[in-house]
Amino acid sequence: MTQTTLHTLADLKQSGEKITCLTAYDATHANLVSSNGIEVILIGDSLGMVCQGLSSTVPVSIDDMVYHTRCVSRGNQDSLLMADMPFMGCAIEEQAMVNATTLMQAGADVIKLEGGSWLCPIVKKLSERGVPSCLHLGLTPQTVSMLSGYRVQGRDAASASRMIEDACLLEQAGANILVLECVPTQLARDITEAVNIPVIGIGAGPDTDGQVLVLYDMLGMTAGKSPRFVKNFMAETASPQAAVTAFVSDVKEGRFPEAEHGFYSV
Ligand code: KIV
C-alpha cells in the first residue's frame, strides 16, 4: 500500500469507497493493522480503558497520548496516524497549540478533538498553522458525565439539527475529518451528505464514508458486554491478521455494519 494522506481520504469519499480505521496503541498492533489494509490508525484515548484499566478516558494525560503515539508511529507502515487530544487538552487555546505540537512531533498526522462548534476558533488556528484536525461529534466519551452516561446522541429533531450545524461550522473552520459516535443512522447519513470532508462512523450506521472500531473490541478481547455497534471479527477467523482483513473487506463491500449494529431516532 502507498502512504495514506488526507488526499487519499478525500479521493475515497469522492469515489464512494469506504475508509477503514482501527485503533492501535503500540508498535505491534500498529504494524498488524497497517500491514493488513487499514487506511487510518486512531491512537484513541480509549487506551485509558483498554491499556490502563481505567473506567473512563478522563484521566488520560497528554504524556500518555504522546507515549502511545510514539509507539504506534514506530510500528506503522503507511497508515494515516490520528491521535486524540486528551480531556481538557484544548480547553485553553494556547494549551491546545502546545499539545497539538507535541502530538505532531510524536508522529501524529491528524489531531482528533472531541466537541462541537465551540472548537471552531481552535480548529481554524490549527489549520492556519498546518495541523490537520478531526472533530468527534455525537457521543463524546470525555464528556460522559455531562451526557449522563454512554448514550446515543442526536435522537430528537433539535439535537440532530444542532449536530448537523456543528458539523458544517467545523468544516468551514478548517476541520479535515469528522468522527460520529453513536448517532442514529439517518442523522449520520444527513451529516455525511451535508459536508465535503470524510465522515468516519462508529455506531453510526452504514452510510458514513468510513468505519472505525476499537481494535481490542473487534478482536473479541474486551471483557464484559460489548456495545451494540461492535462486531467480534475473531469469531469467524483464525488469526488477528485474518480478523483485520475481514474487517477491511466487510467495510469496503458493505457487509459491516449491519442494521443490528445501528441506532434509530425516537
Ligand atoms: O478513543 C477512541 O478510541 C475513540 C473511538 C471510539 C472513535 O475515540
Side-chain angles (χ1 to χ4, degrees):
M1 227 165 75
T2 50
Q3 174 64 46
T4 303
T5 63
L6 290 172
H7 264 123
T8 318
L9 302 189
D11 287 348
L12 289 172
K13 177 167 178 126
Q14 187 71 29
S15 69
E17 182 178 332
K18 299 288 182 184
I19 297 163
T20 56
C21 177
L22 287 173
T23 66
Y25 316 107
D26 63 34
T28 302
H29 287 117
N31 185 53
L32 165 72
V33 302
S34 184
S35 55
N36 285 285
I38 292 295
E39 281 124 1
V40 183
I41 296 180
L42 171 63
I43 305 110
D45 59 0
S46 51
L47 67 87
M49 279 131 126
V50 296
C51 300
Q52 300 175 333
L54 297 167
S55 59
S56 84
T57 58
V58 169
V60 175
S61 68
I62 185 69
D63 289 346
D64 294 334
M65 291 310 307
V66 166
Y67 170 78
H68 286 278
T69 301
R70 280 207 188 104
C71 295
V72 166
S73 76
R74 290 185 198 120
N76 180 37
Q77 302 302 306
D78 39 33
S79 304
L80 188 79
L81 297 190
M82 188 152 87
D84 258 332
M85 181 73 83
F87 176 61
M88 294 297 275
C90 53
I92 300 167
E93 212 170 276
E94 289 71 29
Q95 197 59 47
M97 298 304 126
V98 172
N99 288 341
T101 305
T102 52
L103 288 171
M104 294 294 280
Q105 289 175 340
D109 299 306
V110 178
I111 310 301
K112 180 161 84 59
L113 315 169
E114 288 188 14
S117 52
W118 67 271
L119 283 166
C120 283
I122 288 172
V123 167
K124 185 166 184 290
K125 276 227 160 69
L126 288 172
S127 173
E128 285 166 355
R129 284 153 183 74
V131 178
S133 63
C134 169
L135 275 294
H136 184 149
L137 297 172
L139 169 53
T140 45
Q142 291 173 4
T143 49
V144 66
S145 297
M146 190 68 101
L147 300 176
S148 302
Y150 295 94
R151 297 160 184 274
V152 181
Q153 301 296 306
R155 276 197 135 146
D156 59 86
S159 61
S161 59
R162 252 196 324 272
M163 210 184 296
I164 297 175
E165 194 187 359
D166 275 355
C168 294
L169 290 170
L170 288 163
E171 178 182 31
Q172 280 163 30
N176 302 87
I177 304 172
L178 296 179
V179 162
L180 294 182
E181 179 166 356
C182 288
V183 303
T185 293
Q186 178 63 50
L187 173 59
R189 185 183 308 141
D190 292 344
I191 293 175
T192 305
E193 284 170 4
V195 297
N196 293 310
I197 53 176
V199 178
I200 300 177
I202 175 165
D207 302 319
T208 52
D209 301 308
Q211 297 293 327
V212 55
L213 283 178
V214 169
L215 180 67
Y216 290 38
D217 287 346
M218 60 81 72
L219 292 179
M221 292 167 69
T222 312
K225 193 172 176 291
S226 287
R228 174 195 177 99
F229 53 78
V230 170
K231 177 174 170 184
N232 175 4
F233 284 83
M234 277 298 280
E236 294 157 14
T237 51
S239 67
Q241 287 78 2
V244 172
T245 305
F247 172 77
V248 171
S249 56
D250 280 8
V251 169
K252 297 270 181 202
E253 286 157 34
R255 289 188 297 270
F256 178 79
E258 295 174 78
E260 71 193 58
H261 301 115
F263 301 100
Y264 302 90
S265 304
V266 281

